[in-house]
Amino acid sequence: MATWLLLCCLIASSLAAAAAAAGDGGNQVYIVYMGAVPQRASPNLLQESHLRLVSTVLKRGRRAGSVVVRQYKHGFSGFAARLSEVEAAALRRKPGVVSVFADPVYHLHTTRSWDFLQQAAVKIDAAARRRGAHKPAAAAADPSSSSPDTIIGLLDSGIWPESPSFNDAGFGPVPGRWKGVCMAGDDFNSSNCNRKLIGARYYNESDVRGPSQSGGGSPRDDVGHGTHTSSTAAGNAVAGASYYGLAAGTAKGGSASSRVAMYRVCSEEGCSGSAILAGFDDAVADGVDVLSVSLGASPYFRPDFTSDPIAIGSFHAVAKGVTVVCSAGNSGPAAATVVNAAPWILTVAATTIDRDFESDVVLGGNSSAVRGGAINFSNLDKSPKYPLIDGAAAKESSVSDAESASHCEPGTLDSGKVQGKIVLCNHSEGDTSKVVKADELQSAGAVGAIFVNDAERSVATTYLDFPVTEVTSAAAAAIHKYIASASQPVATITPTATVTEYKPAPVVAYFSSRGPSAQTGNVLKPDVAAPGVNILASWIPTSSSSLPAGQKAASQFKLVSGTSMACPHVAGAAATVKAWNPTWSPAAIRSAIMTTGNNNLHLRT
Ligand SMILES: *[C@@H]1O[C@H](CO)[C@@H](O)[C@H](O)[C@H]1NC(C)=O
Ligand SMILES: *[C@@H]1O[C@H](CO)[C@@H](O)[C@H](O)[C@H]1NC(C)=O
Ligand SMILES: *[C@@H]1O[C@H](CO)[C@@H](O)[C@H](O)[C@H]1NC(C)=O
Ligand SMILES: *[C@@H]1O[C@H](CO)[C@@H](O)[C@H](O)[C@H]1NC(C)=O
Ligand SMILES: CC(=O)N[C@H]1CO[C@H](CO)[C@@H](O)[C@@H]1O
């Protein structure tokens, strides 16, 4: 098989063994990848041959049917099975087996990893809206327009089918070539699919990870991420969308006339490689045109292409005519952090758009206002009457580290000194997260906080009820100068306002992973950049995060940042190109997008 040979030539021997956790009595799930589906092999024959192969390596008393947890038989050949290390090693030596590797866990590309680590419970997703002007090629919004049907599949955390973004008013019948299904699950049945959301599948994680795993029993999104990416790629135009009044306008997906198919491969805990492969396998068989994949490995995991589920799945999808668009990752700005960098993938970096969420600092005296940005929903008086103090000056006397106090690290400040005041704090990468710092300051009785950080200023973090703004170090210089000059410095923080036509834009987001790829140094990656900062799109209305004061219901839209948000913009563009050029290959579509994007990208603010 040509495709199979290509993959083998490109890749040295598998490193999977190194990554495999020490397997004991066969509790580790391994993925056994066997290349393309052999010609003339029916799915049934393939399944039988997989089981026969496994049974040749199993210890006496173990049945193949009870160890194999998933089979791949449409897009490519392989399976996932619960094996011991010895059994996995034996399979690795069998003819026809390309690679055997421990099932990895990948993650959604929404926020930075330390945000996940430090506050699993608090969603700190940052803020804003899409604007037609900066979207790559907005599609015709009118679903009844004559453009041929395209189907965008997403591998993600599920979907909220009741969102107006997935209403099917005006859509014609489901394309006859569609072979997908609408799987029933918890709080989800076939009536939740329609002529817009034409397919939904999920992969039972308890098969793979053990029954303790929560979620995964339904295509219904309980994270929000999959609803956001789907509506960004293909959501209908929804008038009157906003995040509690911010970024108000019409929300609309990149290809509003496309149909949507959700493959739920992720839960809050992550996305297993065996489920990701199942999603690719089914999406190819179902007949999607474009796949949008906003998730990936850690940049330090670095599997080679024969043991990376996204590289394998996308390779066979592209060979079968499906354009695969993936997020580049959120591990920037360090070099060589890009993931999903296989040459056949369209890899997407994230940029800002020309919109900002401004919340200024007004200082006492005759000083002019200092521009800041963040989202708050609290009330401070418009006049600068709140005492202003530098974190270093509010240091708890027993703390020796003035540097930590200037960063307002938890436990370093004297609550007596911050009580009733606005506190100025430095913030660096690697600090305790800003949301946690803000929580600490609020409990200590501070009335507000100003964080100084050049890179992160562009992503508007949501602080709900505590007045916080973020300023650059240049802006902070004016604040320091004022504090030094005034005997009793005072300030206030103004309510967040949406500012449009903000310049410079677009700027590559600080968090967006950078090339070159650690795996493919000879291929330039990422391929294109698209809006991924402060993007407004649909969200699950049951989000556990608290509501701003005075709000009774959770917003149906949310401002979120990440390369996860950039990827579906390009998937929407790819669907539009495909709609107008149905015979184009994934390579032609990728080339069209890469060669027609503009170069007016700012690398820094
Ligand atoms: C799906 O669920 C809804 C709400 O629970 C119910 O009204 C409807 O009859 C169900 N449809 C099917 C096909 O089971
Ligand atoms: C998922 O798998 C577990 C174990 O195999 C089973 O008990 C459970 O019913 C399955 N859930 C669904 C929704 O199929
Ligand atoms: C503010 O500016 C005005 C006019 O420029 C001046 O008269 C006044 O003394 C200044 N006040 C302070 C507190 O500097
Ligand atoms: C932050 O860092 C700058 C430069 O290192 C320093 O001058 C300043 O005092 C620090 N503290 C605050 C709260 O800005
Ligand atoms: C997003 C937003 O505007 N939030 C609030 C920030 O605080 C001011 C003052 O209370 C409110 O008016 C804003 O609505």
Side-chain angles (χ1 to χ4, degrees):
M1 209 97 323
T3 54
W4 189 86
L5 285 176
L6 171 61
L7 199 55
C8 286
C9 297
L10 275 171
I11 279 128
S13 69
S14 166
L15 295 175
D24 47 333
N27 281 322
Q28 166 75 54
V29 172
Y30 286 87
I31 291 166
V32 179
Y33 168 50
M34 303 180 66
V37 173
Q39 246 144 31
R40 290 191 298 276
S42 74
N44 283 344
L45 274 179
L46 210 52
Q47 278 183 300
E48 280 174 33
S49 73
H50 293 158
L51 294 176
R52 266 200 310 278
L53 177 66
V54 181
S55 58
T56 63
V57 305
L58 290 182
K59 271 199 300 222
R60 201 191 305 273
R62 305 221 308 142
R63 286 189 314 104
S66 64
V67 303
V68 171
V69 295
R70 212 154 261 152
Q71 297 216 40
Y72 312 116
K73 48 191 189 288
H74 306 295
F76 48 92
S77 171
F79 55 91
R82 220 172 271 287
L83 301 169
S84 70
E85 209 172 299
V86 173
E87 291 161 344
L91 277 173
R92 204 170 280 129
R93 291 189 297 268
K94 295 283 177 184
V97 172
V98 178
S99 60
V100 178
F101 53 98
D103 191 7
V105 178
Y106 284 10
H107 290 281
L108 297 165
H109 278 159
T110 323
T111 37
R112 302 203 57 136
S113 48
W114 65 73
D115 293 329
F116 278 127
L117 293 178
Q118 290 189 345
Q119 27 183 104
V122 194
K123 296 229 177 71
I124 65 134
D125 300 332
R129 149 203 76 155
R130 289 187 303 284
R131 272 168 53 96
H134 278 278
K135 266 188 304 178
D142 177 6
S144 62
S145 73
S146 59
S147 71
D149 272 315
T150 51
I151 302 164
I152 302 181
L154 298 102
L155 306 189
D156 215 300
S157 64
I159 194 161
W160 194 265
E162 292 83 6
S163 160
S165 295
F166 312 119
N167 187 305
D168 69 353
F171 278 85
V174 172
R177 65 198 167 88
W178 177 244
K179 299 193 196 69
V181 299
C182 187
M183 280 173 73
D186 299 339
D187 201 15
F188 199 101
N189 65 29
S190 58
S191 334
N192 288 120
C193 291
N194 59 24
R195 285 166 296 164
K196 173 75 182 179
L197 173 60
I198 62 173
R201 293 181 187 265
Y202 67 98
Y203 302 94
N204 189 344
E205 290 289 284
S206 54
D207 286 346
V208 176
R209 307 231 115 89
S212 63
Q213 283 300 310
S214 63
S218 171
R220 183 173 289 278
D221 189 2
D222 55 15
V223 178
H225 188 276
T227 301
H228 201 276
T229 56
S230 311
S231 61
T232 301
N236 299 318
V238 180
S242 79
Y243 181 62
Y244 302 112
L246 277 182
T250 296
K252 190 176 112 199
S255 176
S257 61
S258 284
R259 321 282 182 141
V260 176
M262 172 55 63
Y263 298 83
R264 181 183 171 159
V265 301
C266 301
S267 64
E268 194 92 60
E269 290 83 20
C271 327
S272 71
S274 53
I276 293 169
L277 281 171
F280 274 111
D281 192 38
D282 285 334
V284 169
D286 290 349
V288 307
D289 298 303
V290 174
L291 261 176
S292 187
V293 183
S294 288
L295 57 96
S298 141
Y300 310 107
F301 179 50
R302 299 185 181 173
D304 71 35
F305 293 154
T306 54
S307 46
D308 174 1
I310 294 183
I312 294 169
S314 62
F315 180 77
H316 294 287
V318 168
K320 292 187 185 307
V322 179
T323 299
V324 180
V325 186
C326 296
S327 46
N330 299 340
S331 304
T337 45
V338 65
V339 297
N340 299 332
W344 45 87
I345 294 172
L346 181 43
T347 313
V348 186
T351 69
T352 62
I353 56 177
D354 64 342
R355 179 181 52 197
D356 189 38
F357 294 96
E358 205 170 302
S359 169
D360 296 340
V361 181
V362 181
L363 302 167
N366 278 350
S367 326
S368 51
V370 174
R371 228 188 202 199
I375 295 175
N376 80 88
F377 294 96
S378 71
N379 265 301
L380 284 187
D381 200 276
K382 280 193 184 58
S383 62
K385 60 176 203 184
Y386 307 96
L388 176 64
I389 189 167
D390 185 312
K395 188 174 75 66
E396 165 80 57
S397 56
S398 65
V399 171
S400 57
D401 184 3
E403 180 71 12
S404 297
S406 88
H407 286 245
C408 302
E409 285 290 344
T412 62
L413 300 186
D414 180 341
S415 52
K417 290 181 183 157
V418 303
Q419 184 81 39
K421 295 181 185 156
I422 293 174
V423 187
L424 179 64
C425 309
N426 280 340
H427 186 79
S428 307
E429 217 179 37
D431 280 11
T432 301
S433 88
K434 289 173 290 190
V435 174
V436 171
K437 287 183 183 179
D439 280 351
E440 287 271 328
L441 286 166
Q442 189 171 19
S443 342
V447 299
I450 304 166
F451 291 121
V452 185
N453 183 302
D454 291 322
E456 296 176 28
R457 156 70 178 83
S458 60
V459 175
T461 304
T462 301
Y463 296 95
L464 292 176
D465 287 331
F466 189 55
V468 177
T469 191
E470 301 181 23
V471 302
T472 61
S473 53
I479 304 177
H480 282 297
K481 196 170 154 214
Y482 165 69
I483 292 179
S485 71
S487 55
Q488 288 178 328
V490 289
T492 192
I493 297 171
T494 63
T496 303
T498 308
V499 175
T500 53
E501 293 176 41
Y502 181 84
K503 289 193 180 67
V507 178
V508 177
Y510 70 91
F511 60 73
S512 190
S513 289
R514 302 320 202 249
S517 159
Q519 293 125 304
T520 57
N522 293 328
V523 182
L524 284 180
K525 288 282 176 177
D527 296 307
V528 291
V533 175
N534 305 333
I535 302 303
L536 183 78
S538 292
W539 197 254
I540 56 174
T542 58
S543 179
S544 56
S545 52
S546 46
L547 297 177
Q551 298 288 337
K552 289 190 187 65
S555 176
Q556 292 196 59
F557 293 84
K558 189 166 180 186
L559 294 159
V560 186
S561 297
T563 52
S564 274
M565 285 63 237
C567 170
H569 278 92
V570 175
T576 304
V577 174
K578 176 80 177 172
W580 296 110
N581 307 279
T583 60
W584 284 15
S585 68
I589 292 169
R590 184 163 157 258
S591 168
I593 290 172
M594 288 176 67
T595 54
T596 57
N598 74 45
N599 290 328
N600 307 330
L601 201 57
H602 303 261
L603 291 177
R604 46 190 22 238
T605 31

